[in-house]
Amino acid sequence: MTNSEIVEVLELTAKLLELHQADPFKIKGYSVAAFYLDKFNDAALEDMTAAELTKLQGVGKSTAAKIVEIAQTGTFAELDTLLAKTPPGVLDMFKIKGIGAKKIAVLWRELGIDNLHELELACLNGSVAKVKGFGGSTQQKILDSLAFVRSQEGKLRMDKGRQAADRLMEMLKVHFERVEVAGDVRRKNEVVASIVILVEAESPKVLQDVLDEMGSLQKMEKESSPFVWRGKMESISTMVEIVYVVPGRMVNTLFLESAGAEHLAYPTAEGGTLRKKALGEAVASDQQLYESAGLPYIIPEMRDGGEAFLWSEKNQIEQLVTWDGLKGILHNHSTYSDGQHTLKQMADYCQELGFEYLGIADHSQTATYAQGLKEEDVVRQHEEIDRLNLGYAEAKALPAFKILKGIESDILGDGSLDYPDQVLASFDYVVASVHSNLTMSAQKATERVLKAVENPYTTVLGHPTGRLLLTRLGYPLDHRVIIDACAKHGVVVEINASPWRLDLDWRWIRYCMDQGVLLSINPDAHAMAGYFDMHYGVEVARKGGLTLERTFNAFSLGQMEAYLKEKASKRG
């Protein structure tokens, strides 16, 4: 089992113990262990002994023994007992934002609600609002969350979708020479609604016979045909489609199965459509297909609609941002706040990857849940940065490397930034982010962020909507108003590269570029391995048409320092 899967088991155990009103100390034990292990990436928990586990923060002897059992069997006796006395529908209620285990227990025991359908009915008839501790506001939040959960069912985040597609590809390549990933995964969609795999085979029956022998696949007979297998893969809720491809037609079929309907309907120079062109003569490459259609080549990421052709009137594919074009890594966390690795470890690894600078942006003091930096911690961190930078300078490594002094300052409820101005002035740059009060109206949320953007100390607007994909909607913002303000005040907009966020949404990248706003692809890394999340950020940035020229962290160290110095001078 992966570390994250083990943590999920511990978190579920804590929730169920709270649901069944168990000993608070036992609940806290599992919660604390899950909290600290969620930040542990130094080794695989499943490979550690109980004695080794007890040396980790938050893990006692009892919990260590449970982790060993989880690693070996996927569960443990206490969890099995809790699951046995919990209706499956009650477990589903943990998906609802705004109600925790205690409120779920009340709904279950006092109203007899043990599934999402009954919960929705009770909200619609007003029963939930009448329960002590709930009220009309909570009732409406439950209804909103139910609607969101229903809309996200059967979907996966980009990273999980790709992992599932890669696993299926490996299984099929044992039997077939030509296998390709299509659909949402190939288009680099931030959310994957289905996993589409194309297989070139001698005949549909040859493919079907192989699929029938794969125990990890479950066919949905009514939804399938001789040419398209549809069903589910073990442990994956998303629909899987495995499409038979006639030998010699892979490129054409891959194009048809990977482009959006609007893109396929785009007119060609000869008067037909891209769909018609792809259904015609077999081609050897995508480039050949576009060329024969009299159209500029569009990369798979940008084949959602027709806007990519408008983009291509002013830009070239070669101008798009790439991983290799990035010069630094901004918005990262260390053990000064809630990161897993020390400042030196984060910096050394950043340099090892070939980058020219690390922007450290630990949480600010209001973020107590993340051990945000008090003013004295800021001074201490800056002193360490100065010592480390002196060492990097003396080493005379090429390229030169430097740590930039940043902070992820909370945007407070009234739109002001955490810390007084004299502290904010001590940083090279400030990432301003919202982490609390996420239920404001669109008007209030926009006014709040707008005030932060107007603050002269704000350098970067962090994860602009606060969304968590498939888990939490972002707070409502008037994107145009905020982006226009960023243009006016010279504020960079973040593309948070965590696959949980991918926020700013790629659909707003082109508007940012049109308004002259720079964008920064930031991993929000809480561990060294988190740097690689920038690959996801690069992919959705390319999907939105972001060029290297408009990418903030594609600036060299010299350009970055000059930019930050000029911004500071404008503050006076």
Side-chain angles (χ1 to χ4, degrees):
M1 296 184 72
T2 65
N3 287 7
S4 60
E5 288 171 336
I6 291 173
V7 168
E8 286 175 7
V9 172
L10 295 174
E11 289 175 338
L12 176 60
T13 304
K15 290 176 182 177
L16 291 177
L17 285 169
E18 188 173 6
L19 177 75
H20 292 286
Q21 301 175 331
D23 182 352
F25 290 102
K26 180 179 285 189
I27 297 169
K28 186 177 181 181
Y30 285 112
S31 297
V32 168
F35 176 82
Y36 285 109
L37 292 179
D38 188 42
K39 304 174 184 301
F40 178 75
N41 277 330
D42 291 347
L45 294 174
E46 68 173 357
D47 296 331
M48 299 176 70
T49 64
E52 291 170 333
L53 288 166
T54 56
K55 296 178 182 178
L56 302 181
Q57 188 172 8
V59 180
K61 288 184 179 180
S62 175
T63 306
K66 304 288 174 52
I67 293 172
V68 171
E69 190 176 348
I70 293 167
Q72 293 173 346
T73 67
T75 185
F76 64 103
E78 186 173 15
L79 176 59
D80 290 341
T81 301
L82 290 166
L83 289 170
K85 59 181 183 179
T86 308
V90 172
L91 286 174
D92 290 337
M93 290 164 67
F94 282 108
K95 300 175 185 176
I96 305 302
K97 292 297 174 184
I99 56 172
K102 290 181 180 178
K103 276 188 164 63
I104 292 172
V106 171
L107 292 170
W108 178 26
R109 293 191 171 89
E110 293 190 17
L111 294 185
I113 296 171
D114 65 359
N115 61 73
L116 295 181
H117 177 63
E118 288 184 1
L119 177 59
E120 182 175 30
L121 291 177
C123 287
L124 291 172
N125 66 30
S127 299
V128 171
K130 297 174 184 177
V131 178
K132 184 179 180 181
F134 284 78
S137 176
T138 299
Q139 180 173 268
Q140 187 57 50
K141 288 177 183 177
I142 292 172
L143 282 171
D144 293 342
S145 185
L146 279 166
F148 178 73
V149 167
R150 193 171 292 115
S151 70
Q152 306 304 307
E153 286 178 352
K155 297 179 181 179
L156 294 172
R157 297 194 317 265
M158 171 193 275
D159 57 327
K160 298 294 184 182
R162 182 176 305 171
Q163 289 169 15
D166 288 346
R167 194 158 74 245
L168 189 51
M169 283 267 290
E170 291 175 8
M171 293 162 55
L172 290 167
K173 281 187 173 181
V174 173
H175 306 277
F176 303 98
E177 184 176 342
R178 194 77 190 271
V179 183
E180 299 285 353
V181 176
D184 291 340
V185 175
R186 188 164 190 246
R187 284 210 308 278
K188 307 295 192 289
N189 287 350
E190 68 271 38
V191 170
V192 175
S194 64
I195 296 168
V196 182
I197 306 291
L198 310 187
V199 180
E200 192 174 283
E202 295 175 19
S203 69
K205 185 178 185 305
V206 170
L207 174 58
Q208 295 287 345
D209 287 346
V210 170
L211 297 177
D212 289 342
E213 294 300 315
M214 290 186 173
S216 60
L217 297 178
Q218 183 179 356
K219 185 177 183 180
M220 300 171 71
E221 295 289 348
K222 291 183 179 180
E223 287 79 7
S224 299
S225 74
F227 303 98
V228 182
W229 183 100
R230 292 186 177 90
K232 297 292 180 71
M233 185 166 64
E234 189 176 45
S235 76
I236 300 296
S237 60
T238 304
M239 173 70 75
V240 172
E241 295 186 8
I242 303 175
V243 181
Y244 164 74
V245 178
V246 176
R249 297 287 299 182
M250 179 58 85
V251 174
N252 296 59
T253 308
L254 183 58
F255 179 81
L256 288 166
E257 293 289 341
S258 297
E262 188 180 346
H263 194 81
L264 292 173
Y266 199 82
T268 63
E270 57 195 23
T273 64
L274 274 172
R275 179 188 294 277
K276 184 178 179 181
K277 176 63 67 174
L279 287 170
E281 183 180 351
V283 294
S285 67
D286 282 356
Q287 288 86 342
Q288 183 183 337
L289 191 150
Y290 281 100
E291 185 178 345
S292 66
L295 294 170
Y297 174 70
I298 303 297
I299 60 172
E301 293 96 309
M302 300 177 74
R303 296 177 192 168
D304 281 282
E307 288 192 355
F309 292 106
L310 297 175
W311 176 91
S312 67
E313 292 175 4
K314 298 179 181 179
N315 304 281
Q316 303 293 322
I317 296 298
E318 295 75 20
Q319 294 174 281
L320 287 169
V321 65
T322 62
W323 168 279
D324 291 337
L326 301 178
K327 302 299 182 184
I329 307 180
L330 298 167
H331 191 172
N332 306 285
H333 299 269
S334 72
T335 50
Y336 271 93
S337 64
D338 62 343
Q340 298 172 26
H341 293 116
T342 65
L343 176 58
K344 187 176 188 306
Q345 287 174 316
M346 295 291 284
D348 286 349
Y349 192 53
C350 184
Q351 183 184 35
E352 186 181 322
L353 292 176
F355 292 99
E356 296 178 18
Y357 51 89
L358 168 73
I360 199 69
D362 277 306
H363 286 284
S364 63
Q365 59 187 353
T366 297
T368 54
Y369 61 89
Q371 294 83 54
L373 275 64
K374 302 293 185 184
E375 291 186 27
E376 56 268 27
D377 297 323
V378 172
V379 173
R380 187 164 53 88
Q381 186 182 68
H382 286 182
E383 289 173 348
E384 182 178 357
I385 289 173
D386 289 338
R387 289 194 301 272
L388 289 171
N389 280 340
L390 181 61
Y392 293 130
E394 291 174 346
K396 296 181 180 180
L398 291 175
F401 182 80
K402 189 174 184 179
I403 304 171
L404 300 177
K405 299 170 182 174
I407 193 73
E408 185 178 18
S409 174
D410 266 30
I411 298 175
L412 306 180
D414 64 355
S416 61
L417 298 187
D418 213 354
Y419 298 124
D421 287 355
Q422 65 266 27
V423 177
L424 291 172
S426 69
F427 298 104
D428 295 321
Y429 70 99
V430 173
V431 178
S433 305
V434 170
H435 292 108
S436 59
N437 298 333
L438 305 180
T439 57
M440 290 182 175
S441 67
Q443 180 180 344
K444 286 187 176 181
T446 300
E447 289 174 353
R448 175 194 197 182
V449 174
L450 190 59
K451 183 176 178 181
V453 167
E454 293 169 348
N455 191 305
Y457 290 98
T458 298
T459 316
V460 179
L461 176 60
H463 45 71
T465 72
R467 74 179 185 183
L468 294 177
L469 292 169
L470 303 182
T471 301
R472 181 179 76 201
L473 282 169
Y475 38 86
L477 282 183
D478 187 325
H479 280 78
R480 290 182 184 275
V481 169
I482 297 302
I483 292 169
D484 289 348
C486 287
K488 179 180 178 180
H489 297 282
V491 171
V492 178
V493 175
E494 177 179 76
I495 300 174
N496 191 292
S498 166
W500 284 91
R501 293 186 183 275
L502 297 174
D503 180 21
L504 179 78
D505 191 296
W506 62 267
R507 294 163 185 82
W508 287 101
I509 290 175
R510 187 176 168 196
Y511 185 75
C512 285
M513 292 173 62
D514 288 344
Q515 301 310 114
V517 173
L518 290 167
L519 295 110
S520 184
I521 302 171
N522 295 332
D524 201 352
H526 286 67
M528 294 184 291
Y531 292 153
F532 295 103
D533 281 351
M534 284 202 300
H535 283 294
Y536 302 117
V538 167
E539 287 170 354
V540 295
R542 288 170 63 86
K543 188 175 182 67
L546 180 61
T547 60
L548 201 61
E549 181 185 16
R550 302 308 303 166
T551 305
F552 188 49
N553 55 316
F555 286 11
S556 68
L557 174 58
Q559 290 172 319
M560 180 62 70
E561 289 187 302
Y563 178 96
L564 296 176
K565 184 177 180 180
E566 182 182 359
K567 185 171 179 67
S569 69
K570 289 179 180 178
R571 290 198 303 264

